[in-house]
Amino acid sequence: MMLTVVYDGTILTNVYRKNSERSGVFFAAMNIFKEILKRSDVRVILYFSPARFVDGIHLRNEFFPGVDILFESKKANKIFLFLVALSRKINSSLPFWTSSLIQKCCLFVKKNEVKLQGTYFSPVFEFPAWTAKQDLLKRYLLLHDAIPYKFPEYYRDKSFLFLEKVRRSCSDKDFFFFVSQNSFRDYKNVYPFVNDGNSLVNHLAANLNFKHVCDAFLIKTVRKKYGIPANKRYVFSLCTLEPRKNLIRTLRTFLQFVKKNDVLDLVWVLGGGHWESFIEQFNKEIEDLSICKDLFIRAGYVDDADLPILYSGAEWFVYTSQYEGFGLPPLEAMQCGCPVITSNNSSLPEVVGDAGVMIDWNSDEQHIAAYEKYYFNESFRKLKSLEGLERSKRFSWKKTTDLILEVMKREAFEC
């Protein structure tokens, strides 16, 4: 039997945003969507929120031209596509109210044409109000982390409000997937409708393009692109600049490690976007540490194609976050054969296991000891590289998506 899945593709439009919005949540949503498209027994319909509907049309036309979009009717679709084409000619975006108005018109037409049957899946956002009125539409939500609830001092703005919107849109009739056992435990404490009967842990994965790169020319080219000196080895770290990521401690202890051991051949490369509210504090702390420019390289946003190369060329990868919902970067690093250092909290043990060096996130001494262990012991680095490669084989987007569809089919087709 054919399963119909209405997929909330709103976050997929972040493909046009080369900044911190292209986070692990974005890549998870994109990879699950691509996997579902491979299934011959599943019909996928894309839904986009009103604020991202124009970008959604561009996304569908550019990357997924054969996929249907929800709220289409022949007349409304023709009008909307004409306006999109016109906006491209004048090189501007359609105003929000235009997108919203047309979408509402399409929704009215669609509601009067047919009752939607099948399932609704959101990889991150709250359920739209209209889904509650579709009696035959079973709703599924992928929940990533409850960090704003656990660390409200860091999230006094839209992140906390976002999770509250998600909470209000759900009920005990919905089904929830969690990216880690740790996230499941956290959400059970803050969402009263989450329980063992309507929830399932479903680990994420790394893209297949994350693999060990041996091409010396590619490595040399990417090193030059991000300003990494040809005569230096480097440690790599990739994350958004925000308090929870523990970056100030990792850099401070790296400086202490360098001074203690008179290390002259190693630099630190940091990739990723940043929080505007944290960047000033971060820059001040780094300045106070007196880190010289030759030791610390801010790579900023790293292009997707360059990431496997940077992972592959690094001596080791550092990700000692205070807390994680899943932790994709360490898995990507392991899949590229890069030894990792991570903190031993939250979901990270579920991802890394004993394939990396795991330490207390708030211990300066353990950070320095981990750096020394990798720096002075080449055989240990090689061992952890091999163990990481083996560990990463446990995770795949096919496996993640299979589990989602298995649950959907069981509930859709059982008598």
Side-chain angles (χ1 to χ4, degrees):
M1 297 178 66
M2 181 70 71
L3 175 70
T4 298
V5 178
V6 179
Y7 194 100
D8 187 340
T10 302
I11 198 171
L12 302 185
T13 61
N14 285 355
V15 72
Y16 298 115
R17 294 164 174 80
K18 291 193 173 184
N19 54 33
S20 59
E21 291 187 53
R22 283 167 64 93
S23 62
V25 176
F26 160 76
F27 286 107
M30 181 64 80
N31 281 286
I32 292 171
F33 179 67
K34 287 180 177 179
E35 275 294 326
I36 293 177
L37 286 181
K38 296 177 184 178
R39 314 305 163 92
S40 59
D41 59 345
V42 180
R43 180 198 175 199
V44 186
I45 303 173
L46 274 169
Y47 163 80
F48 300 103
S49 69
R52 293 284 184 91
F53 198 55
V54 174
D55 285 344
I57 292 290
H58 290 313
L59 175 81
R60 192 279 301 266
N61 292 346
E62 184 174 353
F63 298 103
F64 311 109
V67 178
D68 292 329
I69 297 182
L70 189 62
F71 307 151
E72 285 188 348
S73 68
K74 290 183 179 180
K75 289 183 179 179
N77 187 44
K78 286 182 180 179
I79 295 171
F80 192 81
L81 291 180
F82 169 76
L83 291 174
V84 170
L86 182 62
S87 74
R88 281 181 170 175
K89 282 191 175 182
I90 61 177
N91 195 28
S92 65
S93 298
L94 292 174
F96 168 79
W97 67 265
T98 308
S99 171
S100 180
L101 178 62
I102 294 175
Q103 188 188 26
K104 287 177 180 177
C105 289
C106 297
L107 174 59
F108 175 80
V109 173
K110 195 70 179 180
K111 277 184 176 178
N112 285 276
E113 285 177 350
V114 64
K115 272 277 189 181
L116 284 169
Q117 299 184 37
T119 65
Y120 182 93
F121 178 76
S122 172
V124 56
F125 293 123
E126 72 272 12
F127 295 125
W130 61 265
T131 59
K133 302 173 183 178
Q134 297 286 337
D135 297 333
L136 300 179
L137 203 63
K138 179 71 178 182
R139 305 189 302 184
Y140 300 84
L141 177 64
L142 179 62
L143 288 166
H144 296 264
D145 62 71
I147 293 171
Y149 291 118
K150 294 191 70 68
F151 301 98
E153 65 273 22
Y154 297 155
Y155 299 85
R156 298 184 182 278
D157 52 6
K158 60 183 180 181
S159 297
F160 185 87
L161 296 176
F162 163 70
L163 286 186
E164 283 298 294
K165 285 201 301 183
V166 173
R167 184 213 290 260
R168 290 195 295 268
S169 76
C170 300
S171 74
D172 56 4
K173 296 179 180 179
D174 302 313
F175 195 95
F176 307 95
F177 295 101
F178 294 89
V179 299
S180 67
Q181 190 67 44
N182 186 77
S183 286
F184 180 36
R185 287 193 297 267
D186 288 345
Y187 271 104
K188 282 204 291 188
N189 292 328
V190 293
Y191 283 10
F193 43 77
V194 168
N195 57 66
D196 293 339
N198 64 3
S199 305
L200 197 63
V201 174
N202 192 10
H203 288 138
L204 303 182
N207 290 4
L208 291 177
N209 65 301
F210 286 102
K211 55 188 176 183
H212 186 63
V213 178
C214 301
D215 190 315
F217 177 75
L218 277 178
I219 294 174
K220 180 180 179 180
T221 302
V222 170
R223 287 176 65 109
K224 184 177 180 180
K225 178 178 178 179
Y226 293 99
I228 306 172
N231 63 339
K232 301 279 188 179
R233 298 187 289 165
Y234 67 92
V235 174
F236 187 43
S237 182
L238 177 75
C239 60
T240 52
L241 295 184
E242 57 176 287
R244 174 176 55 89
K245 297 299 184 179
N246 203 29
L247 287 168
I248 293 172
R249 173 174 283 103
T250 59
L251 295 172
R252 181 178 67 244
T253 53
F254 180 71
L255 178 61
Q256 293 169 354
F257 152 75
V258 167
K259 288 182 175 180
K260 174 185 175 183
N261 297 283
D262 196 24
V263 173
L264 301 175
D265 63 344
L266 196 64
V267 296
W268 185 289
V269 178
L270 172 62
H274 63 264
W275 281 14
E276 293 297 335
S277 59
F278 179 62
I279 190 65
E280 184 177 344
Q281 176 193 347
F282 177 78
N283 287 336
K284 183 178 184 300
E285 291 280 353
I286 295 306
E287 184 179 345
D288 291 346
L289 292 175
S290 300
I291 295 180
C292 66
K293 293 180 180 178
D294 294 336
L295 186 62
F296 176 63
I297 298 169
R298 283 276 300 276
Y301 175 82
V302 178
D303 289 333
D304 297 343
D306 297 335
L307 270 178
I309 302 170
L310 285 175
Y311 282 131
S312 298
E315 295 298 300
W316 65 84
F317 178 74
V318 181
Y319 200 81
T320 55
S321 176
Q322 185 178 1
Y323 198 89
E324 288 295 323
F326 180 74
L328 267 180
L331 179 56
E332 294 169 351
M334 290 193 300
Q335 201 164 291
C336 293
C338 181
V340 301
I341 300 173
T342 65
S343 40
N344 54 19
N345 61 44
S346 55
S347 64
L348 291 169
E350 296 179 52
V351 179
V352 178
D354 58 1
V357 174
M358 306 201 78
I359 62 176
D360 294 339
W361 74 274
N362 58 354
S363 170
D364 287 17
E365 293 77 13
Q366 291 182 32
H367 277 78
I368 295 170
Y371 300 156
E372 290 175 337
K373 197 164 188 178
Y374 272 144
Y375 183 78
F376 291 111
N377 194 335
E378 182 180 1
S379 62
F380 183 71
R381 291 200 307 271
K382 289 181 178 178
L383 173 64
K384 289 303 175 183
S385 172
L386 292 173
E387 289 180 350
L389 285 168
E390 190 62 31
R391 174 84 180 181
S392 67
K393 294 177 183 178
R394 301 185 182 190
F395 306 86
S396 76
W397 288 118
K398 181 181 183 304
K399 185 177 178 180
T400 302
T401 307
D402 281 347
L403 185 55
I404 291 172
L405 293 178
E406 178 185 328
V407 172
M408 288 181 174
K409 290 175 180 178
R410 183 173 67 240
E411 297 201 0
F413 301 143
E414 67 181 5
C415 299

